[in-house]
Amino acid sequence: MFDWISAHKDILQTLASVGSFLIWLIYAQLLYFGFRRQRRPRLIINRGKRKNLDALCVISNMSAEPIYLQHIMMTLETSKGDWTLDVSDHEADLEDDHSDQERTPDGRCTHQGPLDSGGFVHIGSFNALKQRIIDIAGLDDKEGTKDDLVLKAMCVRVIGTYCSENLPIGAERRFVFHQADDSCTLVPETWDTLQFSTRRQRRELKRDIKRIHERQAQGEGEEPERE
């Protein structure tokens, strides 16, 4: 046995070196994947308290670092078209004053700002957000719309900034209306929130922010954008 080892010691040393290299390579990959997973931003969009239209729209930060919420886009999909509105800011309502909303100097409520790791914020009920888009878009006032308006879904998209990264991050989740008898429930289309984490997706978010700012500069930021 020892004679065989002595005769093949060079080959055995080479195999041992290669084996050690592979072990350290696998260990380094595990450390890298764990570090990347820990540093990856993650936002969760979900319903809160209820399952119907009175459910709260809750945004949770499951990232390792705080995320600055920049824009919260709500799209109402109807039989008369899709309407998108930035709901991150709105007029203060004393009857619906949420403790997790910050007040701006002009008396408006805002959801913009840093969201701590493990923290959450709700932006109001889906019903209130839906009605806000309908009222601003004037869907109830348009001829032939009020009676035959069919609500299909509501899509929530959050755009924010994570740590010191140059490109924005985002998350999106779509909730579908399900009408049964006299009740209406809001069901998530997917089991999880879609994360915009690739460079291509984040560049698209950057273009979305630019378009939002251009609409605000033209005085159209308070009106829903029809798609």
Side-chain angles (χ1 to χ4, degrees):
M1 181 67 180
F2 291 103
D3 294 337
W4 184 88
I5 294 176
S6 298
H8 299 85
K9 63 179 181 179
D10 293 337
I11 297 176
L12 293 176
Q13 286 178 350
T14 302
L15 292 176
S17 299
V18 172
S20 298
F21 173 76
L22 292 176
I23 291 174
W24 279 109
L25 182 62
I26 294 173
Y27 183 67
Q29 281 187 324
L30 292 175
L31 288 177
Y32 171 73
F33 289 145
F35 174 78
R36 190 178 67 174
R37 182 172 61 252
Q38 193 175 38
R39 294 287 299 173
R40 182 181 300 167
R42 182 171 178 80
L43 287 167
I44 304 297
I45 304 171
N46 207 354
R47 302 164 300 176
K49 288 190 176 181
R50 299 176 180 87
K51 306 300 181 185
N52 56 16
L53 292 182
D54 292 327
L56 298 176
C57 182
V58 181
I59 301 171
S60 304
N61 178 18
M62 304 306 295
S63 311
E65 300 288 342
I67 291 179
Y68 185 91
L69 300 182
Q70 197 166 349
H71 297 284
I72 305 174
M73 311 302 297
M74 178 73 72
T75 299
L76 179 63
E77 301 176 17
T78 73
S79 57
K80 300 296 181 179
D82 301 342
W83 305 80
T84 301
L85 180 68
D86 187 350
V87 297
S88 54
D89 298 329
H90 64 89
E91 297 293 340
D93 187 352
L94 296 178
E95 296 181 357
D96 190 26
D97 186 14
H98 304 302
S99 59
D100 53 2
Q101 294 179 352
E102 296 292 336
R103 292 292 184 89
T104 59
D106 58 357
R108 294 170 61 87
C109 288
T110 181
H111 300 288
Q112 296 188 48
L115 185 60
D116 292 335
S117 174
F120 70 93
V121 63
H122 75 79
I123 60 174
S125 68
F126 283 93
N127 191 40
L129 294 167
K130 174 209 70 173
Q131 194 59 44
R132 179 182 171 193
I133 297 176
I134 289 177
D135 291 342
I136 298 178
L139 294 178
D140 280 349
D141 300 329
K142 294 181 179 180
E143 183 179 356
T145 301
K146 183 175 182 180
D147 295 331
D148 58 355
L149 181 66
V150 178
L151 303 179
K152 298 180 179 179
M154 295 183 73
C155 184
V156 185
R157 173 178 287 195
V158 180
I159 303 175
T161 303
Y162 186 61
C163 296
S164 58
E165 297 186 13
N166 295 326
L167 292 174
I169 57 98
E172 181 180 279
R173 200 172 190 186
R174 187 170 179 264
F175 299 85
V176 180
F177 291 99
H178 280 269
Q179 190 72 38
D181 298 330
D182 295 333
S183 63
C184 182
T185 57
L186 206 59
V187 180
E189 187 178 47
T190 56
W191 71 273
D192 196 10
T193 304
L194 175 64
Q195 308 293 322
F196 298 127
S197 55
T198 66
R199 293 192 64 85
R200 182 181 61 82
Q201 292 172 329
R202 295 172 71 178
R203 283 195 294 267
E204 291 178 357
L205 289 176
K206 190 174 182 178
R207 288 192 289 268
D208 289 342
I209 294 176
K210 182 178 179 181
R211 189 179 71 252
I212 293 171
H213 291 172
E214 289 175 349
R215 294 188 73 245
Q216 291 175 346
Q218 298 172 1
E220 300 176 355
E222 300 296 328
E223 299 179 1
E225 180 181 5
R226 186 168 185 176
E227 300 178 1

